[in-house]
Amino acid sequence: MSMNNTENKLPFMVSALLAVGAWLACLPVLFLIGRQFWTGAAFVVLAAGLLYGAGRKGGVAGAFMEQAALAFSLCGKGLLIFGFIKLWSLSTGQSCLLVWLITAISYPLFTQKMDRAVMVFASMLALQFWLFEYQTEIWPCMETISILLFVLAYVLFFVPSEKVSPLAWGLLPSCALAFAFGLMKEEPFGLVFNALFLGVCLCAVYAWQAREKFHIAVAVLILLVSYLTNSGTVMGVALLALGFGQCRLSLKIAGAAVFALSLIWLYYHMQTTLLVKAYYLWASGLLLLGLYAWQKRGSYAR
């Protein structure tokens, strides 16, 4: 199903207002008649028709129809998933397979990035709930899954393809749930091991991307930061570096949010006095200022 991406041709504020207006216009219909199983299939068909019409119209009307199609598509697929689960009394594993099947079928048909990213995110959530149910038998540490998902998403951000980008954005937020699951079960040296494991993975990605321009000092710095902080902080720094390297505002915002939240979590859970925490913040500030000055003088600044 091909269509013109009218969202990218309009100013951001116009697209945002159209998105809000389209969702507000669709919500009454979704709430009034969107409670039955059969309406899920009807919503999906309606979304496909709206997408087809948006590709033919273009402009403001086309962008409005795209947003309406997104609302009906996501709600329709949600009704189908929960309807099948309730109708057939599916287990967690069977529900996971159902979500993956619907995602695989709808991914090439519904070309909107948000639609694809949400469905990939739903697939990852279903998989993590399934694994968490059997974590003692399959995965002893759910936080390791967060790292693997993050590294996979991080690699996909280097692929310049419109079809791959939603995969990366769908995988990225799913790291949070696995990380939360991992914190529920205390394991010896779990946080340090996973942070270092993430650092090693990022060093491998950096070496793959830089190739002959690989700088050993950067790898040592990544591992040092991984050892001194937690995996969430390292993820935030990695996203910020990628966002500034590719000049992508979305990655900068995601990196700043992840870094800030992880730093707050790390600061709050440090088993020490406020004075020692203040020294840590002071040393961190000096380190960041030193890195900034080094980047300004070196050839790696962007």
Side-chain angles (χ1 to χ4, degrees):
M1 184 181 299
S2 60
M3 64 172 214
N4 299 324
N5 195 352
T6 55
E7 294 174 279
N8 296 333
K9 298 179 182 180
L10 297 174
F12 172 76
M13 289 305 298
V14 176
S15 298
L17 289 174
L18 286 173
V20 173
W23 278 83
L24 289 177
C26 296
L27 282 178
V29 179
L30 296 174
F31 279 119
L32 288 176
I33 65 174
R35 300 178 183 178
Q36 303 295 329
F37 169 71
W38 62 269
T39 57
F43 284 166
V44 172
V45 174
L46 178 59
L50 287 171
L51 275 180
Y52 179 76
R56 294 175 63 87
K57 267 192 173 302
V60 176
F64 183 87
M65 294 174 70
E66 284 185 18
Q67 294 298 329
L70 179 62
F72 282 110
S73 173
L74 293 179
C75 293
K77 283 180 279 191
L79 287 172
L80 282 177
I81 291 171
F82 288 108
F84 278 125
I85 292 174
K86 184 177 179 181
L87 179 65
W88 293 335
S89 301
L90 300 180
S91 63
T92 307
Q94 293 170 334
S95 302
C96 176
L97 294 177
L98 173 65
V99 176
W100 277 70
L101 178 63
I102 292 179
T103 302
I105 295 174
S106 65
Y107 198 92
L109 298 177
F110 295 90
T111 57
Q112 291 171 292
K113 293 181 181 179
M114 182 62 69
D115 191 300
R116 289 175 166 179
V118 170
M119 291 307 299
V120 171
F121 176 62
S123 300
M124 289 298 103
L125 289 188
L127 177 63
Q128 290 173 55
F129 277 115
W130 186 18
L131 292 177
F132 183 70
E133 185 176 349
Y134 302 100
Q135 62 171 330
T136 56
E137 301 176 8
I138 300 178
W139 283 100
C141 185
M142 291 296 294
E143 189 183 357
T144 307
I145 300 178
S146 291
I147 293 173
L148 295 176
L149 291 176
F150 177 81
V151 172
L152 179 58
Y154 202 77
V155 171
L156 291 176
F157 278 124
F158 288 103
V159 181
S161 173
E162 295 294 327
K163 294 182 179 180
V164 175
S165 179
L167 281 172
W169 283 110
L171 290 172
L172 189 60
S174 62
C175 300
L177 184 62
F179 183 79
F181 283 157
L183 294 179
M184 293 179 185
K185 184 179 180 182
E186 295 184 2
E187 297 181 359
F189 310 108
L191 292 177
V192 176
F193 167 78
N194 282 290
L196 287 175
F197 177 54
L198 175 61
V200 171
C201 292
L202 289 177
C203 286
V205 174
Y206 171 59
W208 162 72
Q209 186 66 17
R211 292 180 176 87
E212 69 275 1
K213 298 181 181 179
F214 180 76
H215 200 286
I216 190 64
V218 178
V220 173
L221 180 62
I222 292 174
L223 294 177
L224 180 62
V225 172
S226 303
Y227 179 75
L228 294 176
T229 59
N230 57 14
S231 54
T233 307
V234 180
M235 289 178 183
V237 173
L239 287 174
L240 280 173
L242 186 62
F244 280 102
Q246 296 186 352
C247 297
R248 296 177 64 176
L249 179 61
S250 55
L251 287 175
K252 293 178 185 179
I253 295 174
V258 173
F259 179 75
L261 292 174
S262 301
L263 197 62
I264 292 172
W265 185 93
L266 177 66
Y267 180 83
Y268 180 78
H269 286 84
M270 288 177 66
Q271 301 297 326
T272 183
T273 62
L274 290 176
L275 183 60
V276 175
K277 291 181 179 181
Y279 282 132
Y280 276 118
L281 290 176
W282 173 73
S284 302
L286 289 180
L287 177 63
L288 291 174
L289 288 174
L291 288 174
Y292 177 76
W294 176 73
Q295 282 188 342
K296 281 294 184 181
R297 296 182 58 185
S299 59
Y300 291 92
R302 284 183 179 266

